[in-house]
Amino acid sequence: MTSPLLCLVVDDSRVIRRVAVDMLQSLGFATAEAEHGLAAVKFCRTNVPDFVLLDWNMPEMDGITCLRALRAMDLEPPPRVVMCTTESGMPKICEALEAGADEYIMKPYDRNVLLDKLELLGLVARA
Amino acid sequence: MTGADFTLIATLLKERSGLIITPDKGYLLETRLGPIVRERGLASLAALIEVLRQPGSDALKNQIVEAMTTNETSFFRDSHPFDTLRKSVIPGLIQRRATRALRIWSAACSTGQEPYSIAMTLKDHFPILGGWRIEIVATDISAGVLERARSGTYSTFEVQRGLPIQMLVRHFDNVDDQWRIKDELRRNITFRPINLLGDLASLGTFDIVLCRNVLIYFDQPTKTRIMHAIAHRIAPDGVLMLGGAESVIGLCDAFSGVPGLRGVYGHAAHIPPKPASWLNLPVSAVS
């Protein structure tokens, strides 16, 4: 039996982390949490998650800086990064894609949106 | 809801759209017609049905049929049919069409996600079609959803269902808090109100017909009638694509499944035993 994929949920809101963790665990993922970008980078020095659900606006280190830092770490295998943010304009989306984001979720979102995005990345089997 | 009330709505739906609603799906009436009850300031579904019994309720009848026949959709819904289009069906047609023209029919397009998904697939994967005459005809029974489809404008929530973010960036403009598909994709799509039980001859002939997740709402004789009507609208070597829970088996002998391609059907008389030769593709590409 293979071990479940690990998702690192990075958000400064404990409530939002909780909601995301509940959804991800119901889909069979293992989860870890970080309350800002700096904590996420620190986590990834010792653990390589399969994918990261990454908020944009956070204290200490914001999501886009964290994303660039994660890509600069050359993690193996490189985790998929899904930005998950209230930032919903085209310039921000393009900035995230240029920095190496694989997908982008605009908040608020629900389980179906999350599932669709994870399917697109091949992280859950398509129905 | 009384039995008589249910029968009144069920009969209306059957007569106007062919839609079959059985008593076990009665809850759908509550959820789908609730907005109409509220919009008209009525107290209950029973009150709405009372209005329906009055003479001159034609507008309400249309509204009810629209509400009951509009179904959830998303971009690249079920993903598999679009993989099949991209890997097998379209490459095969490109090789066979010396006329350099392709007509595609999205037969119950709802709010437009299916025809726009087709248009994005053609644009992203088949630059060779840039010099072809491409026409996508998108039809639905509901004038309301067609108007939305024609606008090509979607909420943030809608563009997050099934659409890769890179495609959102490539094919949409962000207008206020909405997302509007670019004109270059809208140009090739014609939206038309069509009842599948009506006369389809005016639509002409197509190379590909997508009629997905539609048949499931009809009874057996109506399914057969629609399948035969569609068969007359498909070119001899064209294909019909149905939804995952649908099949032509036992409904219409005009079609046979294309071996190796789930949910894809061709004219029975035209399908040779070897799918790869029919598609002009190596077997390895037909997966």
Side-chain angles (χ1 to χ4, degrees):
Chain A
M1 191 173 154
T2 55
S3 54
L5 297 179
L6 174 64
C7 175
L8 175 62
V9 179
V10 190
D11 201 300
D12 57 334
S13 160
R14 195 168 55 86
V15 174
I16 289 175
R17 288 203 306 272
R18 188 72 251 159
V19 170
V21 161
D22 284 349
M23 282 196 262
L24 289 161
Q25 289 182 351
S26 76
L27 293 169
F29 294 101
T31 56
E33 299 178 41
E35 59 188 353
H36 47 65
L38 207 55
V41 170
K42 192 174 168 192
F43 177 89
C44 290
R45 286 198 187 112
T46 49
N47 308 270
V48 180
D50 295 287
F51 67 107
V52 181
L53 206 56
L54 184 57
D55 186 21
W56 194 301
N57 298 305
M58 294 177 290
E60 303 290 338
M61 182 190 281
D62 65 19
I64 195 76
T65 310
C66 175
L67 171 57
R68 291 189 181 112
L70 293 178
R71 290 307 183 219
M73 287 165 74
D74 285 330
L75 299 168
E76 270 306 323
R80 304 298 192 92
V81 175
V82 180
M83 292 302 291
C84 188
T85 170
T86 52
E87 297 288 354
S88 58
M90 192 70 95
K92 290 286 190 187
I93 296 174
C94 292
E95 189 181 349
L97 290 176
E98 265 174 38
D102 297 289
E103 258 300 342
Y104 198 104
I105 293 175
M106 292 172 265
K107 291 176 183 171
Y109 67 101
D110 67 5
R111 191 176 189 274
N112 287 331
V113 168
L114 180 64
L115 194 53
D116 275 7
K117 295 291 186 180
L118 297 180
E119 280 184 357
L120 287 171
L121 294 176
L123 293 165
V124 294
R126 290 183 162 183
Chain B
M1 178 182 285
T2 67
D5 286 353
F6 179 84
T7 304
L8 181 75
I9 301 249
T11 306
L12 168 73
L13 293 170
K14 173 80 167 55
E15 283 174 356
R16 295 221 171 187
S17 69
L19 180 79
I20 299 296
I21 185 141
T22 48
D24 61 309
K25 294 280 170 57
Y27 65 91
L28 277 177
L29 298 182
E30 299 279 352
T31 53
R32 298 278 180 90
L33 302 184
I36 303 177
V37 170
R38 288 190 290 280
E39 179 192 311
R40 290 181 171 245
L42 298 167
S44 64
L45 188 55
L48 184 79
I49 292 166
E50 269 318 299
V51 177
L52 194 61
R53 290 186 199 281
Q54 308 303 316
S57 58
D58 222 49
L60 177 59
K61 285 176 181 166
N62 287 339
Q63 209 178 353
I64 288 173
V65 171
E66 288 207 359
M68 295 303 299
T69 53
T70 302
N71 296 297
E72 197 216 41
T73 184
S74 63
F75 289 98
F76 297 96
R77 184 176 177 188
D78 303 331
S79 72
H80 173 78
F82 294 93
D83 293 341
T84 303
L85 270 180
R86 181 170 53 83
K87 291 180 188 167
S88 305
V89 173
I90 294 171
L93 281 164
I94 287 173
Q95 291 195 21
R96 296 198 301 278
R97 285 289 176 274
T99 53
R100 292 161 64 87
L102 212 51
R103 294 191 84 228
I104 302 171
W105 177 20
S106 169
C109 72
S110 189
T111 42
Q113 282 90 336
E114 182 174 272
Y116 289 128
S117 298
I118 297 167
M120 286 187 270
T121 300
L122 298 181
K123 176 84 180 162
D124 286 350
H125 298 284
F126 299 97
I128 190 176
L129 294 176
W132 286 44
R133 199 170 71 251
I134 305 291
E135 189 186 1
I136 300 171
V137 177
T139 67
D140 200 282
I141 190 173
S142 160
V145 296
L146 276 177
E147 199 175 315
R148 280 214 54 215
R150 200 175 281 118
S151 79
T153 304
Y154 298 93
S155 69
T156 295
F157 188 80
E158 287 170 314
V159 295
Q160 300 204 84
R161 296 299 316 275
L163 185 67
I165 194 69
Q166 293 83 358
M167 290 183 120
L168 179 73
V169 170
R170 215 161 33 240
H171 299 301
F172 287 77
D173 293 315
N174 187 196
V175 183
D176 300 322
D177 57 349
Q178 301 275 299
W179 299 86
R180 189 164 190 270
I181 195 124
K182 288 185 190 291
D183 285 342
E184 61 177 346
L185 287 185
R186 285 149 39 96
R187 262 201 296 273
N188 292 333
I189 306 178
T190 310
F191 293 94
R192 291 179 59 177
I194 287 284
N195 185 337
L196 292 175
L197 300 181
D199 181 13
L200 305 179
S202 67
L203 291 169
T205 305
F206 296 93
D207 303 295
I208 303 168
V209 175
L210 292 95
C211 186
R212 303 191 305 131
N213 309 306
V214 179
L215 293 179
I216 44 177
Y217 297 103
F218 298 111
D219 63 12
Q220 204 83 349
T222 309
K223 286 178 186 175
T224 298
R225 181 178 155 189
I226 292 172
M227 284 295 94
H228 278 291
I230 289 178
H232 285 98
R233 305 271 58 84
I234 299 184
D237 64 343
V239 299
L240 166 68
M241 300 180 73
L242 297 179
E246 299 164 323
S247 166
V248 298
I249 295 169
L251 288 177
C252 177
D253 55 12
F255 290 110
S256 284
V258 176
L261 296 184
R262 181 156 58 95
V264 181
Y265 301 86
H267 282 290
H270 203 83
I271 297 208
K274 290 182 182 171
S277 65
W278 181 76
L279 289 160
N280 288 333
L281 283 173
V283 172
S284 60
V286 187
S287 58

